[in-house]
Amino acid sequence: MTDSLLVLGVLVAAAAGLWAWRRFHPVSFWYGVGFPARAVLVYLTWHHVASGCKLTRNRRRFRLTLDAIPVVGPASRSAATVVEHKRRVRRVDVERSPRLGLLRPTRLGWRMRLRLRDGQVPADYEKAAEGIAHAWRVHSVRVVDVRPGRVTLWATMRDPLVEVVTEPETGELLTVRPGKLENGRDWLIDFRAVPHWLNVGATQSGKSNLANALLKGLAPQPVALVGFDLKGGVEFTPYAPRLSALATTRKESVDLLVDLVGEVENRMALCREHGARNVWTLPEDLRPVPVVVLVDEVAELFLMADKSEKEQVAKTATALLRVAQLGRAFAVYLVVCGQRVGSDLGPGVTALRAQLSGRVCHHVNDPETANMALGDLDPAALDATRAIPAETPGVCIVAGQDGSWHRARSVYVPEHEAEQAARDFAHLTPDWETLVGSIPVVRPAA
Ligand SMILES: Nc1ncnc2c1ncn2[C@@H]1O[C@H](COP(=O)(O)OP(=O)(O)OP(=O)(O)O)[C@@H](O)[C@H]1O
Ligand SMILES: [Mg+2]
């Protein structure tokens, strides 16, 4: 009696200890208990899971079998059937699962490397990933690395994007950390690496929040910020203290774009004069201030109420395209946001899209917009966009120009925080007139 009470007491104490460990130090609990238990489960069930997800292959093997042969004739005179066992070598099909390498723990799950069976391609594993995630009751399984003959799968126990916390900014010029990637790393937008961005999503999907995060991250940096807000200026007017220029009507947009194109041409001429290929190779004292242009609701720039606006729309589209085409080398960067971005807005939109190599696609209602943002990159990224629920604003698919894409979420930056940043760093706002007039127009010698 006392023995069983003692055992019970030890068990209760152990359970309470494990509960407390998991509750108060989940990270060490995961590495010390959770992951080893998971690893055992994964190794034990892998063959079964791979077979269910159609990742196994049949192999012909010679096998020694023990066959039961009914004996007929004098030996089988009684009612019971008499059988004789004979050993035979037979060719049989054996189901082989892909060979599982060592499981490596990560903070949110684990990585596992697999050797592909003959005839398999990484896409087979991308297709099977959802089935594997369900079989192991984990949040997601993704293919994260592909090498000849091998793939690495990454399983995550929970969605790392449920709660995204702010990280301090990197302090590097033109680099912003607007949120987190699904793999737990920081989402970095480096305008010098990927100069122009297209940011799309349905209403309330988190486009403006991302613009707020960018504005907050760029406000303390020595850059000029320019806004286009044709939704009556309601989005960007509160950030006016940190904006060098803001266009809220079509007329203002045309004028501002003309200024921007002029500025890009001046920078081009300056570089030519000094034998530089881009502004970053100019001597530091001559280097012009980088300009980041934020466009909210790009469709407003392309839509026309009547024919009288046709010319203005054409001018706007051409100017925006020129800024995108030439801005990269001359430190004029674009972030174009839009709810509905489709080819129906005009031929200029597809041409503009080709220049916006950074893509962010939030939850969308119309497939055309998602297709515009990611369709030219990777079909798997497009599928991932469709899976973003409307209830998680800020969650998006991010693709850079290297072809890789990630699920990500911007950090929540409410308007008042972005407004505060705009006020706090208002003294860093370059004056637009001075900025566009600061570089004398250099004309090539006749
Ligand atoms: N990263 C995020 N984390 C948490 N909540 C968010 C995030 N992004 C946006 N939200 C919430 O979603 C709401 C809508 O976001 P936001 O205004 O950015 O959408 P939008 O795409 O710009 O919509 P619209 O097209 O109507 O302008 C925000 O007010 C905020 O409450
Ligand atoms: Mg918005």
Side-chain angles (χ1 to χ4, degrees):
M1 184 66 183
T2 34
D3 277 0
S4 46
L5 270 180
L6 191 71
V7 171
L8 191 69
V10 170
L11 286 178
V12 170
L18 284 176
W19 178 85
W21 187 4
R22 185 176 177 182
R23 170 89 175 72
F24 297 108
H25 211 285
V27 176
S28 65
F29 179 85
W30 165 246
Y31 285 105
V33 181
F35 172 69
R38 275 280 164 175
V40 171
L41 179 85
V42 167
Y43 283 119
L44 288 180
T45 57
W46 173 235
H47 180 73
H48 185 70
V49 171
S51 172
C53 296
K54 301 194 170 44
L55 290 174
T56 50
R57 287 284 182 275
N58 282 343
R59 270 260 171 122
R60 285 257 157 121
R61 282 269 177 272
F62 287 105
R63 267 224 176 137
L64 196 64
T65 55
L66 202 60
D67 293 353
I69 300 160
V71 180
V72 286
S76 61
R77 246 168 287 144
S78 70
T81 314
V82 176
V83 289
E84 220 174 58
H85 289 94
K86 276 202 171 169
R87 286 178 188 281
R88 280 189 184 168
V89 175
R90 287 183 167 232
R91 288 186 79 184
V92 289
D93 281 340
V94 182
E95 202 182 26
R96 288 299 192 96
S97 48
R99 192 173 301 158
L100 190 57
L102 204 64
L103 260 63
R104 288 168 206 279
T106 64
R107 229 161 56 85
L108 297 167
W110 67 89
R111 280 169 172 261
M112 50 195 215
R113 195 183 267 190
L114 294 162
R115 194 178 291 174
L116 306 188
R117 289 271 162 214
D118 291 348
Q120 290 185 332
V121 289
D124 296 334
Y125 289 78
E126 270 156 17
K127 260 188 245 152
E130 202 181 343
I132 301 174
H134 281 289
W136 284 334
R137 316 268 188 279
V138 294
H139 165 67
S140 71
V141 171
R142 296 194 196 290
V143 175
V144 287
D145 189 22
V146 175
R147 310 252 159 124
R150 288 166 203 272
V151 288
T152 302
L153 301 187
W154 184 50
T156 44
M157 300 294 294
R158 60 186 169 80
D159 190 350
L161 304 181
V162 170
E163 213 174 289
V164 175
V165 287
T166 332
E167 297 282 342
E169 285 299 338
T170 59
E172 266 181 56
L173 182 65
L174 289 165
T175 301
V176 185
R177 255 186 203 152
K180 283 264 179 209
L181 300 180
E182 192 182 32
N183 61 15
R185 298 211 184 107
D186 288 340
W187 170 14
L188 279 181
I189 288 190
D190 177 357
F191 286 97
R192 285 180 67 175
V194 182
H196 306 312
W197 288 81
L198 177 63
N199 168 24
V200 300
T203 180
Q204 299 295 295
S205 62
K207 302 178 299 292
S208 298
N209 185 76
L210 176 58
N212 292 352
L214 292 177
L215 187 123
K216 192 179 162 201
L218 290 168
Q221 302 189 20
V223 299
L225 299 171
V226 171
F228 284 83
D229 178 4
L230 267 71
K231 283 205 273 188
V234 289
E235 294 280 349
F236 289 162
T237 306
Y239 311 145
R242 185 62 186 85
L243 297 180
S244 295
L246 172 64
T248 58
T249 63
R250 193 183 301 280
K251 166 86 181 62
E252 285 171 4
S253 299
V254 174
D255 292 347
L256 189 49
L257 278 166
V258 167
D259 272 4
L260 276 168
V261 172
E263 176 63 12
V264 171
E265 284 173 349
N266 283 350
R267 290 177 180 205
M268 209 188 289
L270 184 73
C271 287
R272 199 169 47 231
E273 195 195 13
H274 289 85
R277 284 179 186 274
N278 58 51
V279 291
W280 304 109
T281 47
L282 279 172
E284 210 164 313
D285 53 326
L286 286 177
R287 205 174 292 161
V289 177
V291 180
V292 180
V293 181
L294 299 166
V295 183
D296 194 36
E297 207 36 80
V298 65
E300 292 291 334
L301 284 177
F302 287 87
L303 289 177
M304 50 191 129
D306 53 61
K307 282 208 167 149
S308 64
E309 290 187 339
K310 198 173 173 184
E311 201 185 323
Q312 272 187 334
V313 169
K315 257 190 186 171
T316 311
T318 313
L320 199 58
L321 188 60
R322 286 208 74 198
V323 173
Q325 274 170 351
L326 306 172
R328 168 189 292 263
F330 305 107
V332 179
Y333 307 115
L334 286 178
V335 179
V336 176
C337 309
Q339 200 181 112
R340 235 197 69 256
V341 183
S343 48
D344 55 315
L345 291 179
V349 173
T350 320
L352 181 65
R353 189 266 304 253
Q355 295 299 326
L356 309 176
S357 47
R359 310 282 172 80
V360 180
C361 186
H362 293 86
H363 164 79
V364 282
N365 290 329
D366 65 316
E368 167 79 351
T369 302
N371 209 13
M372 196 72 171
L374 300 168
D376 58 334
L377 299 179
D378 187 340
L382 208 54
D383 291 343
T385 316
R386 290 190 197 111
I388 300 174
E391 308 79 63
T392 53
V395 173
C396 53
I397 302 299
V398 186
Q401 56 197 5
D402 61 350
S404 68
W405 60 271
H406 298 275
R407 224 174 132 248
R409 190 173 197 178
S410 54
V411 68
Y412 180 44
V413 181
E415 284 85 13
H416 69 84
E417 260 183 44
E419 279 171 39
Q420 188 61 45
R423 278 196 298 272
D424 289 349
F425 298 100
H427 60 283
L428 295 180
T429 312
D431 176 57
W432 188 245
E433 299 302 326
T434 320
L435 190 130
V436 289
S438 64
I439 305 170
V441 181
V442 188
R443 307 230 176 263

